[in-house]
Amino acid sequence: MSEFQQKCSILGRDRLAPDVFRLTLQAPKIAAVAQPGQFVMVRVVDGLDPLLRRPFSIHRSFADGSISLLFKVIGKGTAMLARRCVGDELDVVGPLGNGFEFSDDRPVCLIGGGMGIAPLLFLAEHLHSTGRATEKDHVLLGARNKDELTPLADEFSALGYTVQLATDDGSIGHKGFIPDLLDFVLPTVEQVYTCGPHLMMENIVRQCQQAEVTCQVSLETHMACGMGACLGCTVNGKRGLVHVCKQGPIFNADQLEWSL
Amino acid sequence: MGKMEKSVMESGSETNLAPCGMPDLRVQIGSLALRNPVMTASGTFGYAREFANLVDLDRLGGIIVKGISLQPKPGNPPPRIVETACGMLNAIGLENVGVDRFITGKMPYLRKLSTPVVVNILGDSVEEYSEIARRLDGAEGVAALEVNISCPNVKKGGVAFGTVPEMAARVTEAVRRFTTLPLIVKLSPNVTDIVLMARAVADAGADAVSLINTLIGMAIDPVSRRPRLANVIGGLSGPAIKPVALRMVWQVAQAVSLPVIGIGGITTAADALEFLLAGASAVQVGTANFYDPSAAENIVQGLNDYLQEQGEDRLVDIIGTLKTGTD
């Protein structure tokens, strides 16, 4: 695998919800080799505060050499990134990490919670464009409310996926959590892909274990470099500590320690 | 770097020859010759291969690999890093593959590079330091050792080696007995008087000192009321510590005759120049490798440009030329 450090022009900036943004970047080298599940490290400003790059899953990758990132404003770094404008340049390193593994003809379920939806749209588009998507596939998406969910849900639907939604406030879909929906879907699928809040993923992993369905998870941690040098992004694996940036961010759920 | 230029760099005795008409960036650290003074600091550059796609490793002055212990170490539990204002705290806990796997697994790649590879070594006892030095002494491709007496994260021994002059001297003497390689001792800033530490290791046989390692710090999450690092305390690095590092390098460079290698928050050529003017013979780029993998390469270019602008032919001529008082 190869990665690049590129100055990327911001081609598009969409505000999907009051604090949710989607940036589209001109990143031809990265887009040419990016795999679903991989991430990039973005320097949100050129100065020294914040000092570190921020990791973002690749949300979409296009044949015209652009990539999209999806993020919610949660701290100083994302707040500064949200203020960047079309035409600005961002220093981006990527694509980094491994990607999702997929095989043909296995019905799958993609489960995204909040910003965890980001890498799953890239995965869905990739499965679709490579002829791997089937009518038996499912997509379950969860978020706080309708505003956060609708534009993204429409994009999965446009690919032909059966999409079910869950929101905290019930403004669209099921009022409650994604794991409530999963019990009905699990008997019909052979592979689950999930990314989202840790508690959500823990519940999903437990359900998958009980149903004996394999599950790939995408993890998020603090990391300084994204390239295996800082060794800061460790999590507990079944056989000792693992590094999210190099051994992940995609793991088979049974590689990791789960507390539930 | 063009193909022809690279082949010249690789041809034995001409390895460090500056291209015609360009300023001469070569520096000497004891018997260790560097094509330029810009090295990558231990623990921030992995085993170099991690950066091979992003950095022309053959343009660097030197590569200092992740600290190596006698046995592999798993490191500390997460979370291990936290960002702070213009800096970061880490408590990685010296995670590394151990000296034997380093030699068999990492050296074959490293020895193919034209850039000198310095191995940072660490131990829990004088005997451990000696044994690592002994095993590395015969290893092909190791250009020098950097003795890490200053990592703040190990619970036993490590801190005392870095903070008690007699202990630092004992480690230095012991390693000196087991190696003929150039010996750099990396000093901790977490001491009352770093000049005492520098003198102690100089007298004990060090060929050079590098400073500073991280400053011990801490960060707390007010909501959970818990420390942000699982290890509670960790080492502060990045631009936030540069003024402290610069002051210490200046003090040590005045006090000892050994070459001094400056480390601490260096991101740009201007940062590197501050250390060189203060008396450092070389510098190490550390945390900057994380947020800008091209930093070290850019600094090499920036030093070159500075010398041309200043009408200087040789980098060594500006080392320690800080003007103080009325001169």
Side-chain angles (χ1 to χ4, degrees), chain B:
Chain B
M1 186 181 285
K3 236 180 186 162
M4 247 163 77
E5 207 176 317
K6 192 160 181 171
S7 66
V8 170
M9 300 295 261
E10 284 166 355
S11 60
S13 62
E14 293 180 336
T15 294
N16 289 305
L17 205 63
C20 199
M22 303 286 273
D24 181 354
L25 296 182
R26 289 175 298 172
V27 296
Q28 198 77 25
I29 306 295
S31 59
L32 176 65
L34 306 178
R35 67 164 73 90
N36 67 59
V38 184
M39 301 194 265
T40 53
S42 178
T44 67
F45 209 63
Y47 302 104
R49 195 170 196 162
E50 292 86 341
F51 287 79
N53 288 330
L54 300 178
V55 179
D56 184 351
L57 300 173
D58 292 310
R59 281 200 73 190
L60 304 175
I63 293 167
I64 302 171
V65 296
K66 174 78 184 154
I68 302 292
S69 52
L70 194 54
Q71 303 297 333
K73 282 180 186 283
N76 288 330
R80 292 175 165 190
I81 57 168
V82 56
E83 189 178 50
T84 57
C86 299
M88 63 177 281
L89 287 164
N90 87 79
I92 304 303
L94 307 175
E95 176 183 339
N96 78 95
V97 297
V99 66
D100 292 335
R101 270 174 62 203
F102 170 74
I103 293 171
T104 56
K106 306 295 181 183
M107 274 314 295
Y109 174 80
L110 289 165
R111 74 170 66 100
K112 283 189 292 193
L113 304 173
S114 67
T115 303
V117 173
V118 179
V119 182
N120 182 287
I121 65 171
L122 51 98
D124 287 336
S125 65
V126 172
E127 293 71 28
E128 253 183 72
Y129 279 103
S130 311
E131 180 57 20
I132 304 166
R134 191 185 66 78
R135 292 191 197 185
L136 286 169
D137 197 43
E140 185 195 341
V142 179
L145 298 183
E146 181 179 63
V147 184
N148 181 0
I149 56 167
S150 50
C151 185
N153 296 325
V154 281
K155 291 198 168 61
K156 49 177 180 179
V159 172
F161 290 131
T163 54
V164 180
E166 294 74 23
M167 294 291 284
R170 273 186 58 199
V171 173
T172 307
E173 279 165 12
V175 173
R176 176 81 289 168
R177 270 199 296 278
F178 284 93
T179 188
T180 52
L181 293 166
L183 188 57
I184 303 162
V185 178
K186 186 169 182 176
L187 301 179
S188 168
N190 304 301
V191 293
T192 311
D193 185 356
I194 199 165
V195 169
L196 282 182
M197 302 300 299
R199 286 202 180 110
V201 301
D203 293 343
D207 296 308
V209 287
S210 54
L211 61 145
I212 59 176
N213 206 320
T214 56
L215 286 152
I216 299 174
M218 186 171 172
I220 295 171
D221 176 2
V223 177
S224 65
R225 304 189 187 190
R226 301 186 68 83
R228 291 192 188 271
L229 295 173
N231 193 55
V232 185
I233 61 171
L236 179 66
S237 66
I241 72 167
K242 199 191 80 183
V244 177
L246 189 60
R247 182 267 294 178
M248 289 185 167
V249 163
W250 179 65
Q251 288 177 325
V252 169
Q254 288 183 311
V256 299
S257 56
L258 301 182
V260 175
I261 303 170
I263 321 164
I266 296 172
T267 304
T268 63
D271 296 334
L273 283 161
E274 287 190 74
F275 282 87
L276 296 168
L277 294 171
S281 298
V283 295
Q284 294 179 16
V285 178
T287 304
N289 295 316
F290 297 153
Y291 54 88
D292 185 10
S294 57
E297 256 187 290
N298 291 342
I299 290 171
V300 174
Q301 186 59 47
L303 292 178
N304 186 78
D305 296 346
Y306 171 85
L307 292 176
Q308 287 189 323
E309 282 160 26
Q310 297 275 321
E312 298 278 0
D313 296 329
R314 304 191 316 156
L315 183 118
V316 289
D317 293 337
I318 69 158
I319 289 171
T321 57
L322 178 72
K323 298 175 185 174
T324 55
T326 54
D327 50 286

Side-chain angles (χ1 to χ4, degrees), chain A residues 112-158:
Chain A
M115 292 304 99
I117 295 169
L120 298 178
L121 185 58
F122 186 10
L123 177 62
E125 288 178 334
H126 185 82
L127 293 176
H128 181 77
S129 67
T130 55
R132 290 188 173 91
T134 74
E135 286 174 3
K136 292 178 182 170
D137 295 344
H138 286 266
V139 174
L140 309 181
L141 305 177
R144 286 175 305 186
N145 54 51
K146 183 183 175 184
D147 285 353
E148 267 182 24
L149 220 40
T150 345
L152 296 165
D154 290 348
E155 283 159 355
F156 284 93
S157 299

Side-chain angles (χ1 to χ4, degrees), chain A residues 135-223:
Chain A
E135 286 174 3
K136 292 178 182 170
D137 295 344
H138 286 266
V139 174
L140 309 181
L141 305 177
R144 286 175 305 186
N145 54 51
K146 183 183 175 184
D147 285 353
E148 267 182 24
L149 220 40
T150 345
L152 296 165
D154 290 348
E155 283 159 355
F156 284 93
S157 299
L159 296 169
Y161 287 97
T162 307
V163 182
Q164 295 184 69
L165 308 177
T167 48
D168 295 354
D169 64 358
S171 52
I172 193 168
H174 169 70
K175 183 177 192 299
F177 301 108
I178 291 179
D180 308 340
L181 302 172
L182 183 58
D183 282 333
F184 302 100
V185 171
L186 264 181
T188 69
V189 300
E190 292 176 33
Q191 172 71 55
V192 165
Y193 299 99
T194 184
C195 183
H198 201 76
L199 186 62
M200 179 199 90
M201 291 202 290
E202 280 195 316
N203 278 295
I204 288 166
V205 167
R206 189 181 49 177
Q207 285 172 287
C208 288
Q209 282 169 347
Q210 283 165 356
E212 295 183 348
V213 173
T214 56
C215 179
Q216 292 178 36
V217 300
S218 172
L219 295 191
E220 182 179 49
T221 59
H222 287 287
M223 52 178 75

Side-chain angles (χ1 to χ4, degrees), chain A residues 39-76:
Chain A
F39 66 101
V40 293
M41 295 291 284
V42 179
R43 217 165 167 196
V44 298
V45 288
D46 288 335
L48 298 176
D49 197 14
L51 188 68
L52 301 176
R53 289 169 186 268
R54 297 295 190 262
F56 295 99
S57 292
I58 300 173
H59 174 47
R60 303 180 85 170
S61 178
F62 300 97
D64 68 358
S66 61
I67 60 169
S68 289
L69 310 178
L70 178 74
F71 66 96
K72 182 183 286 186
V73 174
I74 51 163
K76 189 166 59 180

